[in-house]
């Protein structure tokens, strides 16, 4: 399978990757996160774990267990890390977190591994299982630079037990973290069904299936149903655009197993849609990779109007498909979009609407930005680069 990547990356990079894997032969790696489906972390692990094994590094993936109460608490932690002050973590929340953590401690075997990657705050407490000689890495996918202080104090006691941490961008690193911090942005896999080229027939039939008109412009946002993705803001921007330009809005989303708020947000979005026949709210099953691929390829303009964002894999996915993306000027989105070159960075609903109108009116700009966008992803955000960066961190922590 690895040879397929030669189409997208140079031979030197591929050889470096193989060499590094050879150096690390025999090292056993475990990834732990909180959901098998939904969201960027699961998306990446589904691809990365088999590829690391193919490279000859024994790699496994475990998912922590949790009931609704536990995931309500972890979602609260997630929100409070992103945006302090909206709610507080109660004593009961802490007890719920700790109780579930200890259950997970007993059912996840970490002793077998040399290196354990713990993704995000949900499984953070598993660090109590760390054995001598092992290296534990906290792979943080969210912005914790200005967290709620109480929540951070609670998590910090776990974080400081790790040997290293990895963040998407330097701005996300929390000042005062006492362990080494590495910067590694995520990636997309060009040979995954989500990103592979598709035949026109499938794209057409997908649009037909959802009742979307292929002849009229399509504005698309793909995101879990989460308030931090601001689906309502996207609808407002679309309504501003619609006063001047004919277009359809597609909000494609799904629920994640570890996010209990999804159903409620979905209802809010349906309410905001009202009886507008040109808004398509698609609640897709978790394995709809080809459908999302088809929607991204048929979009005229892609938006990602998140209020807070870790990275926003969907931005790279759309850019890979030669789409100019209009994204919020925050977090990892800012790292992917080069303003005015691959798409636009925006700061408001009005700004989003303005840039959508501009791109709808200028097919030449769309084409040129789309080409730049594809090249940017090819250069910086493919999975081969990502695996290489991870292996370098493993090498550094184990061998130096
Ligand atoms: N995704 C999906 N179906 C959906 C919504 C999202 O498969 O209905 C995928 C999307 O294509 C991307 C990932 O989930 O690969 C979302 O990652 P991102 O970093 O954009 O956001 P997160 O959900 O992790 O906050």
């Amino acid at each position: 399978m690895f040879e397929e990547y030669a189409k997208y990356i140079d031979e030197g990079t591929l050889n470096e990757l193989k060499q590094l894997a050879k150096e690390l032969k025999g090292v056993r790696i475990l990834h732990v996160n909180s959901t098998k489906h939904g969201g960027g972390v699961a998306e990446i692990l589904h691809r990365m774990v088999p590829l690391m094994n193919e490279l000859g590094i024994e790699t496994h993936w475990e998912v922590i267990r949790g009931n609704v109460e536990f995931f309500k608490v972890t979602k609260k932690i997630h929100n409070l890390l992103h945006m302090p002050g909206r709610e507080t973590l109660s004593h009961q929340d802490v007890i719920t977190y700790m109780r579930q953590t200890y259950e997970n401690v007993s059912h996840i075997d970490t002793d077998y591994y040399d290196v354990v990657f713990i993704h995000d705050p949900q499984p953070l407490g598993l660090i109590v299982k760390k054995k001598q000689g092992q290296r534990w890495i906290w792979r943080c996918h969210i912005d914790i630079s200005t967290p709620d202080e109480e929540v951070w104090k609670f998590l910090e006691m776990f974080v400081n037990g790790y040997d290293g941490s990895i963040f998407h961008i330097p701005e996300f690193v929390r000042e005062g973290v006492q362990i080494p911090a590495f910067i590694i942005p995520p990636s997309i896999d060009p040979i995954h069904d989500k990103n592979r080229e598709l035949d026109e027939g499938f794209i057409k039939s997908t649009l037909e299936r959802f009742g979307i008109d292929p002849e009229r412009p399509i504005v698309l946002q793909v995101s879990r149903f989460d308030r931090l993705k601001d689906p309502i803001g996207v609808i407002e921007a679309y309504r501003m655009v619609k006063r001047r330009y004919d277009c359809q809005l597609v909000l494609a989303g799904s629920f994640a197993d570890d996010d209990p708020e999804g159903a409620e947000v979905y209802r809010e979005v349906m309410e905001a849609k009202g009886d507008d026949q040109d808004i398509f709210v698609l609640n897709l099953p978790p394995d709809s990779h080809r459908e999302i691929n088809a929607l991204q390829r048929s979009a005229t303009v892609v938006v990602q109007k998140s209020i807070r964002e870790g990275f926003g894999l969907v931005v790279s996915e759309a850019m890979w498909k030669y789409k100019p993306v209009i994204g919020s000027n925050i977090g990892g989105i800012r790292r992917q979009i080069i303003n005015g070159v691959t798409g636009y960075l925006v700061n408001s609903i009005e700004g989003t609407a303005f840039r959508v109108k501009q791109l709808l009116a200028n097919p030449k700009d769309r084409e040129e930005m789309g080409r730049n966008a594809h090249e940017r992803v090819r250069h910086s955000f493919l999975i081969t680069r990502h695996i290489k960066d991870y292996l370098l961190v493993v090498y550094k922590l184990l061998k130096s």
Side-chain angles (χ1 to χ4, degrees):
M1 181 161 46
F2 249 92
E3 302 317 320
E4 273 200 70
Y5 292 95
K7 255 207 297 197
Y8 307 108
I9 60 170
D10 60 277
E11 211 184 318
T13 308
L14 212 52
N15 287 338
E16 266 171 33
L17 194 55
K18 288 180 181 163
Q19 189 57 35
L20 205 49
K22 228 191 213 165
E23 297 282 336
L24 291 171
K25 195 137 190 75
V27 171
R28 296 185 288 215
I29 295 179
L30 175 67
H31 288 274
V32 183
N33 83 323
S34 60
T35 176
K36 204 85 190 173
H37 302 288
V41 180
E43 184 85 11
I44 291 168
L45 290 177
H46 272 294
R47 303 303 296 166
M48 184 173 276
V49 171
L51 282 172
M52 303 248 296
N53 280 300
E54 207 192 316
L55 273 174
I57 297 177
E58 186 180 344
T59 307
H60 294 252
W61 174 13
E62 293 274 2
V63 176
I64 56 165
R65 294 178 192 159
N67 55 16
V68 177
E69 282 317 303
F70 173 72
F71 286 124
K72 270 190 188 159
V73 172
T74 56
K75 182 73 200 243
K76 203 187 222 187
I77 291 176
H78 177 93
N79 288 338
L80 281 166
L81 286 172
H82 266 311
M83 240 199 275
R86 294 197 311 175
E87 26 185 11
T88 52
L89 204 61
S90 67
H91 290 300
Q92 187 50 48
D93 292 338
V94 172
I95 291 167
T96 305
Y97 183 89
M98 294 307 292
R99 191 171 287 152
Q100 191 60 41
T101 294
Y102 277 96
E103 273 194 32
N104 283 311
V105 160
S106 59
H107 97 262
I108 295 183
D109 171 24
T110 55
D111 294 354
Y112 175 72
Y113 300 92
D114 303 295
V115 179
V116 181
F117 283 81
I118 296 289
H119 294 262
D120 280 337
Q122 299 94 328
L124 197 57
L126 288 181
I127 187 68
V128 296
K129 285 196 82 173
K130 185 182 165 197
K131 289 269 179 312
Q132 212 173 3
Q134 288 185 319
R135 299 290 184 274
W136 282 56
I137 299 164
W138 185 41
R139 199 325 170 202
C140 178
H141 295 261
I142 58 179
D143 179 356
I144 58 155
S145 56
T146 51
D148 178 278
E149 290 300 330
E150 287 302 308
V151 171
W152 177 246
K153 252 191 249 159
F154 170 57
L155 296 182
E156 197 179 18
M157 64 181 181
F158 298 122
V159 172
N160 285 330
Y162 283 74
D163 299 288
S165 56
I166 300 177
F167 294 90
H168 295 335
I169 55 174
E171 297 90 305
F172 282 3
V173 181
R174 167 81 180 151
E175 233 175 85
V177 170
Q178 288 163 20
I179 56 173
F182 301 92
I183 304 302
I184 302 181
S187 61
I188 63 158
D189 186 347
I191 67 169
H192 179 26
D193 278 349
K194 174 74 59 65
N195 300 309
R196 269 182 192 285
E197 280 179 24
L198 291 174
D199 64 75
E200 283 302 319
F202 180 79
I203 298 177
K204 219 169 139 231
S205 68
T206 304
L207 294 186
E208 249 166 42
R209 209 176 105 202
F210 295 128
I212 301 165
D213 182 353
E215 303 302 326
R216 293 164 55 219
I218 297 168
V219 178
L220 170 73
Q221 175 162 297
V222 176
S223 281
R224 289 179 294 105
F225 294 104
D226 183 333
R227 291 191 190 95
L228 292 180
K229 307 290 184 183
D230 201 15
I232 306 289
V234 177
I235 292 179
E236 282 178 43
Y238 150 84
R239 293 212 159 107
M240 289 176 189
V241 173
K242 190 82 179 190
R243 285 186 220 134
R244 290 274 307 277
Y245 291 90
D246 178 36
C247 63
Q248 306 163 89
L249 173 66
V250 179
L251 292 170
S254 59
F255 303 143
D257 298 341
D258 62 348
D259 183 0
E261 290 174 1
E264 201 180 312
V265 176
Y266 177 74
R267 274 195 302 278
E268 290 166 13
V269 173
M270 290 307 285
E271 202 172 299
K273 162 187 152 59
D275 57 7
D276 190 329
Q277 300 296 315
D278 279 338
I279 299 180
F280 300 83
V281 182
L282 311 178
N283 182 8
L284 302 171
D287 57 350
S288 311
H289 304 302
R290 276 161 56 82
E291 286 73 11
I292 291 195
N293 187 343
L295 291 170
Q296 287 168 330
R297 285 182 192 279
S298 49
T300 318
V301 174
V302 172
V303 295
Q304 191 54 42
K305 221 216 127 296
S306 307
I307 293 167
R308 286 285 185 278
E309 190 60 78
F311 187 70
L313 267 193
V314 282
V315 172
S316 272
E317 287 169 3
M319 287 169 69
W320 179 246
K321 289 150 195 142
Y322 297 90
K323 300 298 164 182
V325 180
I326 297 167
S328 299
N329 189 14
I330 52 160
I333 297 179
R334 196 158 41 189
R335 165 97 190 218
Q336 296 171 81
I337 296 174
I338 303 176
N339 194 30
V341 177
T342 72
Y344 290 109
L345 290 169
V346 291
N347 297 295
S348 63
I349 292 172
E350 291 74 12
T352 308
F354 175 78
R355 292 302 190 189
V356 172
K357 283 188 272 190
Q358 189 181 344
L359 283 177
L360 287 181
N362 289 292
K364 269 220 168 87
D365 283 2
R366 291 203 303 267
E367 217 173 278
E368 192 183 328
M369 286 185 168
R371 272 198 306 273
N372 296 340
H374 176 82
E375 201 46 36
R376 170 134 183 85
V377 175
R378 198 181 67 74
H379 186 265
S380 301
F381 303 120
L382 293 187
I383 195 161
T384 34
R385 188 274 308 149
H386 196 176
I387 293 178
K388 193 174 103 183
D389 287 350
Y390 272 9
L391 293 184
L392 282 169
V393 170
V394 169
Y395 188 89
K396 160 102 185 116
L397 292 180
L398 276 179
K399 311 243 171 175
S400 62

